[in-house]
Each structure stands twice: as C-alpha cells, then as structure tokens.
Amino acid sequence: MKRFFISAVVCSCSLLLWNCKSDDDTNKVVDRDRQEVYTENISEIETFLKGNSITVVDGELTFNEVSNGNTSIWDQNQYPLQSVTLENDTYTLSSQTNKYTKINDAVSYKVYYLIINEGGGETPMVHDNVFTSYTGYNLDKTIFDSFTFGFWSAYPAYSSYSEVIPGYRQILQKIKTASAVTDNGDGTYSYENPGRVVVFIPSGLAYFSSSQSNISKYSSLIFDITLISLKEADHDNDGILDKYEDVNGNGNLWDDDTDGDGKPNFLDLDDDGDGFTTREEITYQVEENGEMVNKLYSFDQIPTCTNGSVKKHLDKSCH
C-alpha cells in the first residue's frame, strides 16, 4: 500500500501542460514537417528499445544499456512490449470565431508501451479527470521531471485541472485506476493496486517544436506513469456527464455538435441552440416539505418530445 498527497494544482507538473495558445497567434516560426520528424523519432525510440534493458525492483525503475546477462526492452517478455496507433487529438479555441478546431496533424503515431501493472480499478475515458503520478525521461535516460505525489489533470483543461500532452493522456486508457483509495485523515491517502505504464512518446504527441525545461524541441520522451484515481467529468456543467454527450456513440466527443455552432455538446451550455440552456431543459420540480425544489433528471430519465425519440435537450423544436 502506498501513500500520496491529494493536490489540485502543482508547480512541478506544469512541465506537462500542453501549450494551449489561440490559433490566431502571429509571427510564428515555421515548424518542421510532422511526418519527417515522426520518422526520425520512431527510429530513435526503436533504437532505444533495442539497446536498453528495463528492471523494476521494489517499484524503482531502471534503464541500462544491453550487455551480457540482460535482455533488451525489445526482446524481454516480463513486461511485453506493445504498441498502439494514436492521433494528435489536440483542439484549439479560436478567439476570432469562438469555435474549436483540431490541430493540423495528419500523422498516425505508433506508440510503444509496457504495462508494469494493469491496476484493479476502472479504465478512464480520455475526457475523465485523472489523478496520476509520473517520472519523465529523455532518451538519454536523464530525468527531466518527476512528481511522485500526483496531480489532477483534465482534457481539455477544466476548472483548476490542467491539460496534459496527448501521448500521456491517451495511454491511460490501457490501464486502470487503483482498486482502493483510503483517506488516512492526515492529508494523505493510501492506495492499492494502481495501474502503471511506461510509454515512449514521439514528439508529435508531446511538445513537438516547443522546447521545455530540460527538453529539446522535437524530442521523444519516456513517461513512467501511475494511474491512481479518476472522476467522471461534466466540462460544461450542464448536468450531463461528458460520457453521455457522445451522441453518435463513436467515442469522440468533439464531433457531437447538435446545433452546429462550432462547440461540441460537452462544451456547449445549450446543446440544441434553442435559447434554453441544457441544464434548464433537464430540470424538473418536485414538492419537498411544502416547497418546490428543482432537481435534474438522470440521463436515462431525460424526457423526449411528444412522439419523438430524441431527448428534449437535443431537439430544438421541443421546449
């Protein structure tokens, strides 16, 4: 059982923040071609995997050059090397149009990872708020940052929770949270059986052309991540959890924009654009102790319009 401090904002983890500048910035330096950079990155990552071993003793992870008596990460089977193809799922909000647009990145990224421990809890959605701890390495095995106490993050940034790089947040869907978290009553929490993954992230899913403290531009990175806890999110605070705003059921919340205003439903206060907020449309009144009290329908109980099949907050003709 391990102990950690809960904190909503941490200084160290600022290194993880994606630079969410408006897409209207001017005087930008022209970036290198993303496919060209990725081709270099994946070659460097595979060279690292074939030339280095990994050991985890009493929770401590170590990378060493391959020599007699140890096996490369590429060939070892204690933590089978796996890969997944990911895309850059970063969106920016235009200050001119007030609409969200996806980053211009058509590269399909092969991301290698090792599951050190699957975890005993829940697998997060990419939009869930998650509490993680990490150690970050450059490919020369130097540590550029570490935060062992853990921190909350969100996608996109939400309330006091910051957004992390795409490769970090997406790989969390391969592991689970801790099976139990216990409040120790002294500001610390104990947790059992958390998920843990080591991921090798090409720069296109990290900081790409933006240099950071102890990280050069176009650098691939290694993260040793522990997933401790999650909280389901309601980004727009409309009373409907993000997971229920996936209208077309394809797992991508960004392409569900019922009123076509450029804001996906999970970030839109008025999903159908009828002038009534979603929260208003899913509110009903009941009498309690002689007073009328406002309550929200659970998602399953949100009514549809008469003779309709669409829930009322998604039907502009239904008030």
Side-chain angles (χ1 to χ4, degrees):
M1 182 177 289
K2 298 185 178 180
R3 294 165 68 90
F4 66 94
F5 292 92
I6 289 285
S7 84
V9 180
V10 293
C11 295
S12 179
C13 79
S14 63
L15 186 59
L16 283 174
L17 303 186
W18 179 261
N19 191 358
C20 299
K21 292 183 178 179
S22 164
D23 58 6
D24 305 313
D25 290 344
T26 57
N27 300 321
K28 291 182 178 179
V29 177
V30 176
D31 291 341
R32 291 181 56 196
D33 178 78
R34 284 183 171 271
Q35 182 64 55
E36 177 184 90
V37 173
Y38 168 66
T39 300
E40 293 176 1
N41 285 171
I42 198 65
S43 176
E44 294 166 350
I45 289 171
E46 291 180 347
T47 296
F48 180 92
L49 295 171
K50 294 173 182 178
N52 289 274
S53 65
I54 185 172
T55 57
V56 181
V57 178
D58 295 330
E60 296 296 323
L61 182 148
T62 305
F63 295 113
N64 291 294
E65 290 186 10
V66 171
S67 59
N68 292 335
N70 61 7
T71 305
S72 69
I73 300 170
W74 190 269
D75 294 320
Q76 56 82 39
N77 55 26
Q78 183 176 7
Y79 309 110
L81 182 64
Q82 303 179 65
S83 67
V84 62
T85 300
L86 301 176
E87 66 175 35
N88 192 335
D89 61 352
T90 302
Y91 280 74
T92 56
L93 178 63
S94 169
S95 60
Q96 293 181 347
T97 66
N98 202 32
K99 295 182 179 181
Y100 288 90
T101 55
K102 192 173 184 294
I103 189 171
N104 184 19
D105 185 354
V107 177
S108 294
Y109 293 94
K110 186 175 187 178
V111 176
Y112 289 100
Y113 65 97
L114 308 168
I115 295 180
I116 307 302
N117 188 57
E118 182 181 10
E122 303 172 86
T123 299
M125 285 181 54
V126 71
H127 292 279
D128 286 337
N129 302 328
V130 291
F131 192 86
T132 60
S133 61
Y134 69 89
T135 299
Y137 301 83
N138 290 296
L139 287 187
D140 64 3
K141 294 177 282 193
T142 58
I143 294 175
F144 62 78
D145 193 22
S146 181
F147 200 82
T148 57
F149 288 147
F151 69 104
W152 284 104
S153 62
Y155 173 58
Y158 170 68
S159 184
S160 60
Y161 300 163
S162 300
E163 183 176 326
V164 296
I165 57 175
Y168 187 107
R169 62 173 174 258
Q170 291 187 62
I171 204 63
L172 297 179
Q173 295 170 83
K174 298 298 181 182
I175 53 177
K176 300 177 181 179
T177 59
S179 56
V181 178
T182 303
D183 186 345
N184 299 317
D186 60 358
T188 68
Y189 290 74
S190 300
Y191 57 95
E192 298 177 355
N193 194 22
R196 183 177 179 184
V197 62
V198 177
V199 59
F200 304 84
I201 304 177
S203 65
L205 296 179
Y207 302 104
F208 196 55
S209 60
S210 177
S211 60
Q212 307 288 320
S213 177
N214 301 319
I215 303 174
S216 302
K217 60 175 59 178
Y218 306 118
S219 293
S220 300
L221 303 175
I222 307 168
F223 278 95
D224 175 9
I225 308 169
T226 298
L227 173 59
I228 299 164
S229 187
L230 68 80
K231 291 188 291 189
E232 294 178 328
D234 175 8
H235 268 83
D236 52 12
N237 194 32
D238 63 358
I240 300 177
L241 291 174
D242 288 359
K243 67 179 181 180
Y244 295 130
E245 306 240 41
D246 183 14
V247 180
N248 58 20
N250 68 350
N252 179 9
L253 298 183
W254 293 98
D255 64 3
D256 298 285
D257 182 9
T258 298
D259 58 8
D261 66 352
K263 292 183 178 180
N265 289 358
F266 83 105
L267 297 174
D268 194 342
L269 295 177
D270 179 7
D271 290 343
D272 58 8
D274 64 355
F276 297 89
T277 66
T278 296
R279 179 173 280 272
E280 287 178 291
E281 294 192 271
I282 66 170
T283 297
Y284 67 97
Q285 288 190 325
V286 295
E287 184 178 346
E288 291 184 355
N289 300 319
E291 296 184 0
M292 299 305 295
V293 179
N294 289 334
K295 292 186 176 292
L296 296 178
Y297 286 109
S298 65
F299 181 76
D300 291 343
Q301 297 299 316
I302 296 173
T304 61
C305 287
T306 304
N307 299 322
S309 59
V310 178
K311 293 182 182 296
K312 63 181 297 185
H313 70 286
L314 299 176
D315 188 340
K316 191 173 184 178
S317 67
C318 181
H319 301 302

